[in-house]
Amino acid sequence: MSRSQSLLIFFARRVPAVITFWGIFCFAACPQCLGDEKVNFGREVRPILAKHCFTCHGPDPEARQADLRLDTQAGATADLGGYQAIKPGDIDDSEVFTRITSDDPDTRMPPADAHVPLNQHEIDILSAWIAAGGNYETHWSFVPPKPITVPDVNASGWCRTAIDRFTIKRMEQAGLSPSEPAAKANLIRRLYLDLAGITPTPEEVDRFINDEDPLAYRNLVDRLLASPDYAERFARSWLDLARYSDTNGYEKDRPRTVWPFRDWVIAAIAADMPFDQFSIEQLAGDMLPAATTDQRIATGFHRNTMLNEEGGIDPLEYRFYAMVDRVATTGTVWLGLTTGCAQCHTHKYDPITHTDYYSLLALMNNADEPELTADPPEVREQRREIEKQIRRLENQLATTVLNSKDPQHELIRADYAIWYQQQIETASDWRVLRPEEMKSTMPRLSLTKSGSILASGDVTKRDVYTLRMPPTAEPLTALRLEALPHPSLPAGGPGMAFYEGRRGDFFLSEFNVRVGIQDVALARPSASYGKISVGSGSADAANVLDGSGSTGWSTSDRQGTANRLVVNFAQPFQSNQPWTIELLFERHFAAALGHFRIAVTSQPGGAVAAVSAAALESRLYDVRAGKGELDRASQNQLRRQYVQTSELLKEHRKPIDKLRRSLPEPVRTLVFRERSKDDLRTTHRHHRGEYLQPTEAVPPAVPAMFEPLDPNKPKDRLALAQWLVSDKNPLVGRVAANRAWREFFGTGIVRTAGDFGTQSELPSHPQLIDYLAAELTRGGWSMKRLHRKIVLSATYRQAVGAAAANDPGNRLISSFPHRRLDAERIRDSLLSATGLMTRKIGGPSVYPPQPASVSQMAYGSPKWNASSGADRYRKSLYTFSRRTAPFAAYISFDGPTGEVCVARRDRSTTPLQALTLLNDAMYMEIAQGLAASAVRDVGPNGTAEQIAARIFRRLLVRAPDPEELRAIVDFYQRHSKGKQAWTLVARALINTDEAITTP
């Protein structure tokens, strides 16, 4: 019995099913029944398969059932033991058709308990597709864009740019017509809000309305594109993608300094840096030849990941989570794909395998995460000037007190003589000892030319350094460990701790010397300075010899300075074989030593203690050994050190201490630094995405679905960055162009802005998105040029209108969409309307007023000290962003928290938004400023109508109509007995829908 006969018998038992089957069969089998239009696989068939089939029969082998793949033509047409899931051109022998039309719950697909069945329309589409040959097509977004011909249209007179020909073509196909042009007052407000994020003044509006020049609109566009406001406006959108925040996230959520990255973004956009260069510098700027400071700052893009500072965590585990975030963000921003599914298993919908995911991670996995000093030039100059003044005052004090014969300073001079003699008597003949070999449990150790040892890379909560030393030529009596600062370390070192409050700190638990496995006895340890942590007691140097990992030596709160630990041998030590020094760093946080040097002495009796004037110790020892006197420069240096530390000079030092406190803190920002080629990390695939379940090693590569990296070049972060913006990536131009379109129309040509995969909504204008992508890539990757092209179009200049009945989502843009402004532009547009806005660009974040209770929700209840003066009125881009307690006025309007990459903000409508605009202290202050500026503009003789109209125009740009004006004046008169009646008017207008939407 043939399969067709079996099907006929099966359906004959179910009369309704017979009718359905024969109706579909005839429809599929008869070409004349299909009409002229061919079923489109990408637009009609793939979404059905993805919705109903790919979960069990898609790319993921672990989730795949019955060894059947329906996401590829080879899998769907494979021989499954005498039958095929899809037999091209033959519905009768296609098992998929049999299963989706079956009435038997045991055989029907998808199973009733797992998924809703296909509806009749979906069955019709699949049957027609199989009958037509069942051909698969690559998903549209994975196909490289082809040259697009601008279409011919009937309404060519309406078109101002090539963009309009694409949009009007779709309108004509749907029987729609474009809206009338927007009024000039509305158009200038729209342009200002979209290109600059602020409100134009009434005077700017009047000039534009009265300008008869045919190029007036174009000139306005060019002026706004050239303004600093444009760069700040679009920097905010990019920072959403970069998950920018001023704090680390997680429980403690302490502050971090990453605003130099934000300022780099502003400067890059202002300069119209080509998008390909803009991308490469953020992903791998440190790897470019002769990388500049700015290019290194740009790598802060992927340092915006959250950082967990809790004491009990494994730093390497949270580094893994940071890498997962970086892969997901890279996928969203440059591929428009959701890669996160493949962290745990092969993607169910898109052709990204589990191994592909970790190969992509491997390309980014070899970066260390140091800090970079990024002081602006004015800060560097300020520091140099203050340090010069400090040296001058110290020299003056030393001369006045130590060189004079004034009797009132006799006690100080005597104390200095004693201190000077102590420095000489305790000086030792130290010589630097270079290790023959260095091993570490985690950080990488490298030997510098000066003999110091620099650590870099990853750290854990328990790290051990083992230094193998050469045989000794003579007996040694003491060892010295110098903890040295270094610019590559957090806060300048000497430690590798990266936690706020302990940044640059270390914690040495134990100091051991061994020959083979035999411990060498040590005694009489001392330190030039020791402290466990800020605000706590001193750290006794003896802790490093007590055999307990919970005690140790630290120089907390002396970050950026050198300090010394001296350990004496119990007996003179000599070894004719290599011997080892072992340093144990064990704490509830990662606290290894980042830069240090080992020195030894053979001085009889060993070193009594760590000398405070260690920088001069070798010269002091020469004096002790009778080898001459200190030269003048050394004497002056020694005097300055005494002046800096003597208790007797505490009062004299107050002017110097005040100057020292005024020194600007170094601006240290977070960057990447690629590891050397001989010290690369090995990346593993992690079973089910679990950090603790690494499996086989994977090579660095882009997903196999794409054209691979150049095989003749290193496969690293720079190669990935260059590949992402190359012709080998068919997505980047489309994703960037779609993002630009969404900025102006609220919705992208592809609605799912961060997902161009098989589950995404198809583009509303497929040819237009490829045209814009080509314009971007062929036009020098200029985003400013693309933005200009969009806002010059007739499509953008339409009036706001209701969506057509046959286009309820206004996807065909037959009118300009009604769009609520995002949180920051709401505040900035209102603030600029008052005339209070401060136009300073860049620098540390500021604190506009907000309820104190908001910040108190965060760990430790940090205070929110509202900024005063000009900082109070800076643009919202510069508002301090705390991840665990976001700025209340922004989060109410769906602002981001900075925890994850945001490709598209939500647009909610809640009562809290109205309450925020009505009652938030910041908006009350804006209402007061708006009222005051309007009263001031009109003058003391102004009428209520004039003031009301001025407030209206400052805020909404257009002139009020007579009915609106009467209502406003009536409202004012009802409250005119109050002192702030005009403030109430401004407050009411701020709360209109028109005030927070684009016209």
Side-chain angles (χ1 to χ4, degrees), residues 722-944:
Q722 292 169 336
W723 178 90
L724 283 170
V725 290
S726 72
D727 293 340
K728 293 182 178 181
N729 176 11
L731 287 154
V732 63
R734 289 169 172 148
V735 172
N738 190 66
R739 201 154 45 224
W741 188 265
R742 191 188 72 248
E743 291 288 353
F744 298 102
F745 293 98
T747 304
I749 297 171
V750 176
R751 188 191 294 273
T752 48
D755 183 7
F756 276 51
T758 60
Q759 291 292 90
S760 66
E761 182 181 294
L762 291 168
S764 57
H765 301 75
Q767 289 188 315
L768 175 58
I769 192 170
D770 279 1
Y771 169 80
L772 293 175
E775 284 292 295
L776 176 62
T777 56
R778 289 202 300 263
W781 290 95
S782 169
M783 293 303 301
K784 189 175 286 191
R785 180 174 175 270
L786 182 62
H787 291 165
R788 183 178 189 272
K789 189 176 288 289
I790 291 172
V791 298
L792 287 178
S793 68
T795 307
Y796 177 81
R797 300 196 216 183
Q798 294 178 96
V800 173
N806 59 340
D807 184 23
N810 196 25
R811 298 291 284 130
L812 303 185
I813 324 175
S814 57
S815 62
F816 193 78
H818 182 270
R819 294 181 295 135
R820 194 199 74 200
L821 298 172
D822 52 55
E824 293 85 351
R825 276 191 292 169
I826 289 175
R827 176 176 176 265
D828 289 350
S829 64
L830 300 177
L831 193 59
S832 58
T834 69
L836 292 172
M837 176 177 279
T838 304
R839 308 307 280 269
K840 178 184 174 183
I841 298 174
S845 297
V846 296
Y847 301 81
Q850 74 165 345
S853 58
V854 175
S855 184
Q856 288 172 358
M857 295 168 55
Y859 175 89
S861 301
K863 290 185 178 180
W864 183 275
N865 297 318
S867 299
S868 59
D871 281 350
R872 193 179 186 90
Y873 306 112
R874 294 192 66 191
K875 284 189 175 180
S876 303
L877 175 68
Y878 303 110
T879 299
F880 186 87
S881 167
R882 185 180 297 280
R883 284 182 161 119
T884 55
F887 192 68
Y890 302 161
I891 205 71
S892 297
F893 285 93
D894 309 300
T897 65
E899 294 171 296
V900 295
C901 170
V902 175
R904 179 183 59 177
R905 290 195 189 183
D906 293 330
R907 286 288 188 272
S908 63
T909 302
T910 68
L912 181 60
Q913 293 166 352
L915 291 171
T916 297
L917 290 174
L918 278 169
N919 301 313
D920 187 282
M922 179 178 69
Y923 287 115
M924 282 294 294
E925 198 170 298
I926 287 175
Q928 291 169 345
L930 181 58
S933 62
V935 171
R936 185 173 57 251
D937 291 347
V938 172
N941 299 320
T943 64

Side-chain angles (χ1 to χ4, degrees), residues 702-713:
V702 296
M705 60 188 277
F706 297 115
E707 192 174 340
L709 298 171
D710 188 336
N712 299 315
K713 293 184 178 179

Side-chain angles (χ1 to χ4, degrees), residues 340-386:
C341 296
Q343 177 193 345
C344 303
H345 51 75
T346 293
H347 208 300
K348 285 184 170 66
Y349 302 109
D350 290 326
I352 304 174
T353 69
H354 195 28
T355 299
D356 281 343
Y357 178 91
Y358 288 97
S359 288
L360 185 58
L361 188 150
L363 287 166
M364 295 185 280
N365 199 26
N366 282 303
D368 286 334
E369 302 181 6
E371 292 182 336
L372 174 70
T373 300
D375 291 336
E378 61 273 15
V379 171
R380 291 197 296 271
E381 181 57 36
Q382 182 185 5
R383 183 179 293 109
R384 279 194 296 268
E385 185 57 36
I386 294 175

Side-chain angles (χ1 to χ4, degrees), residues 964-984:
E964 289 172 328
L965 189 58
R966 278 196 303 272
I968 295 170
V969 172
D970 181 59
F971 179 86
Y972 165 74
Q973 290 172 343
R974 290 202 308 272
H975 298 86
S976 60
K977 293 182 180 180
K979 292 183 179 180
Q980 296 194 12
W982 285 120
T983 296
L984 295 179

Side-chain angles (χ1 to χ4, degrees), residues 102-125:
S102 172
D103 281 346
D104 185 344
D106 293 332
T107 60
R108 186 177 180 100
M109 287 292 162
D113 60 348
H115 211 290
V116 295
L118 279 71
N119 59 41
Q120 190 60 53
H121 178 65
E122 292 170 328
I123 293 173
D124 291 346
I125 289 174

